[in-house]
Amino acid sequence: PLIVSFVLAPPLRGDQLPTLSIPAGTDRALIRLELESDDFEFYTVELRDSAAGRTIWHSGRVKTTGATNGNSLNVPVPVKYLNPVIYTLSVSGFSTSGQAERVGDYSFRVMR
């Protein structure tokens, strides 16, 4: 299977919208979400169509992986869900007691 890799940094005001280019024949996009901090036992990620405001796909439980510049989540998204529009990956963190808290939203554009 062909996989495309993409890194999204924590969103900042005024940042330009990152663009994910998906080559023909790609099966999966491995998206690394860089976190400002790692305060939770595990995370979940929802892929939302920004224009329609609906959830298209969601991950199972995701744990952080240490990176040289902090912690991140590696989220494999099937490209069949990624059309040429703007998406938001909404990240929620879960504590050991199971309490959920919204961590952040990562927006990006898809090009094919």
Side-chain angles (χ1 to χ4, degrees):
L2 186 58
I3 298 172
V4 64
S5 182
F6 190 57
V7 177
L8 290 172
L12 301 172
R13 287 182 195 252
D15 272 359
Q16 190 166 355
L17 199 60
T19 300
L20 169 59
S21 295
I22 302 176
T26 301
D27 298 315
R28 189 169 309 255
L30 181 59
I31 302 174
R32 187 175 82 207
L33 303 174
E34 295 179 349
L35 302 174
E36 291 182 20
S37 63
D38 181 13
D39 299 328
F40 298 96
E41 181 72 17
F42 67 90
Y43 299 83
T44 61
V45 179
E46 289 184 351
L47 176 68
R48 299 175 50 88
D49 179 324
S50 293
R54 63 184 172 89
T55 299
I56 297 169
W57 174 88
H58 60 85
S59 71
R61 293 179 175 196
V62 181
K63 295 230 179 206
T64 57
T65 56
T68 56
N69 59 346
N71 292 300
S72 61
L73 300 172
N74 290 325
V75 182
V77 178
V79 297
K80 67 182 180 182
Y81 297 112
L82 298 173
N83 294 308
V85 295
I86 295 173
Y87 293 98
T88 299
L89 288 169
S90 295
V91 179
S92 295
F94 290 81
S95 65
T96 53
S97 66
Q99 289 289 96
E101 183 179 321
R102 178 66 131 266
V103 172
D105 293 325
Y106 299 73
S107 295
F108 64 99
R109 176 187 327 272
V110 170
M111 302 270 301
R112 287 188 173 249

